[in-house]
Amino acid sequence: MVSLPDNASAASKIAVIGLGSMGFGMARSLKRAGLDVTGYDVESAAVQRFVAEGGLGARTLAEAVKDADIVVSVVVNAVQTESVLFGPEGVGQAMRPGAVFVSSATMDPAVARGLAKRVEALGLHYLDAPISGGASKAASGELTIMASGSKQAFAAARPALDAMATKVYELGEEAGTGAAFKMINQLLAGVHIAAACEAITFAAKQGLDLGKVYEVITASAGNSWMFENRVPHVLAGDYTPLSAIEIFVKDLGIIQDMARAERYPVPLAAAALQMYLAASGAGMGLDDDSSLARLYAQLSGATLPAAAK
């Protein structure tokens, strides 16, 4: 087992890899907490934006993680995480011994366990730490983090965890447990978004006042967090991606793979996945996941609100 660095409790130098809608907010929260934060992204404009707000920017992964106590990886999936760690410019060999790699990507638990073993073999710590809460919670430092890893990994990552989240669930000492919890969350989230979009578009097909539908349902037993959060996008006709269709193509696909391996039926998640796949195939893959409502409208001839001009 790798040892805990002497200065772990006071660690202050942090690298954030991936400055998208989530990573940028997380980097801002870390900086607001008084930590020394360097940001890196394959898109130089994202790095420049962080620098403009007073953060530090890096041109390469190695530059970003040099002397970092904590590396927070906020990329999309397991493939990108593996590339960040072990690709041609991977940080695995560039991080200092005893530093901790905090992996926030949603992935198959078995993959998380494999990455953890490879990282720990390099004398580093690995914290399996998927996140929930959306871009607004990332920016305000109010995420929920579902984490698993060694006591040393938790201790080393604590300054970052405390700055990024209001709820940090410590779910065990084996990497992959956090990932499994996140997949249960994603199963529910994906199904709930699909149900919300199906319901609000069905209401449109019935000729109902959609604003009044939203008011009534959010005060009734049929409400869900996703209905309350996503339906306003539909009412505004604004499908700017806050969480894209492709995210759930990926995540519900992982759930299908996990369930098939366990010989466990997930028919509701499977049906929802088909709708996300259809929306992606219709050209909405990079649009907000509330675009499922637009797909239902196309299939049914329902009319949804147009964006304000």
Side-chain angles (χ1 to χ4, degrees), residues 233-308:
H233 304 180
V234 179
L235 300 183
D238 183 359
Y239 299 95
T240 302
L242 298 179
S243 175
I245 288 286
E246 288 294 345
I247 295 295
F248 282 99
V249 170
K250 169 181 69 74
D251 291 355
L252 292 179
I254 293 172
I255 288 163
Q256 296 299 305
D257 292 340
M258 292 170 62
R260 183 166 53 250
E262 296 288 342
R263 296 300 185 264
Y264 182 83
V266 284
L268 297 182
L273 173 58
Q274 295 306 308
M275 297 307 295
Y276 290 103
L277 285 168
S280 178
M284 305 176 197
L286 300 181
D287 294 340
D288 191 74
D289 52 32
S290 60
S291 291
L292 283 191
R294 296 156 66 197
L295 181 67
Y296 275 108
Q298 289 181 9
L299 293 171
S300 67
T303 300
L304 294 174

Side-chain angles (χ1 to χ4, degrees), residues 67-225:
D67 299 325
D69 303 292
I70 304 167
V71 176
V72 181
S73 176
V74 201
V75 295
V76 172
N77 55 28
V79 172
Q80 290 186 5
T81 302
E82 183 173 24
S83 179
V84 166
L85 281 165
F86 304 113
E89 299 180 5
V91 304
Q93 297 294 337
M95 290 171 64
R96 67 170 187 77
V100 59
F101 184 87
V102 179
S103 175
S104 294
T106 302
M107 65 181 71
D108 188 306
V111 175
R113 287 191 289 272
L115 289 175
K117 289 179 181 178
R118 294 170 67 185
V119 168
E120 289 166 357
L122 297 173
L124 305 168
H125 299 288
Y126 183 98
L127 193 67
D128 174 24
I131 54 181
S132 182
S136 62
K137 293 289 183 69
S140 62
E142 297 178 300
L143 288 171
T144 294
I145 297 180
M146 304 163 232
S148 61
S150 68
K151 291 183 174 66
Q152 291 90 343
F154 273 106
R158 184 60 59 187
L161 299 177
D162 289 346
M164 297 186 297
T166 53
K167 293 182 180 179
V168 179
Y169 289 100
E170 299 187 21
L171 301 170
E173 295 192 21
E174 183 182 32
T177 304
F181 271 79
K182 178 61 183 292
M183 296 320 302
I184 300 303
N185 180 80
Q186 293 306 91
L187 186 159
L188 289 165
V191 170
H192 288 175
I193 292 168
C197 292
E198 182 174 300
I200 197 66
T201 312
F202 187 46
K205 185 67 174 177
Q206 301 300 309
L208 302 180
D209 180 332
L210 298 189
K212 184 60 68 174
V213 170
Y214 181 76
E215 178 185 344
V216 170
I217 295 303
T218 54
S220 302
N223 190 36
S224 67
W225 191 92

Side-chain angles (χ1 to χ4, degrees), residues 10-15 35-38 56 63-71:
S12 62
K13 186 171 178 56
I14 301 177
L35 300 170
D36 180 357
V37 186
T38 299
L56 300 173
E63 181 184 345
V65 305
K66 182 181 179 181
D67 299 325
D69 303 292
I70 304 167
V71 176

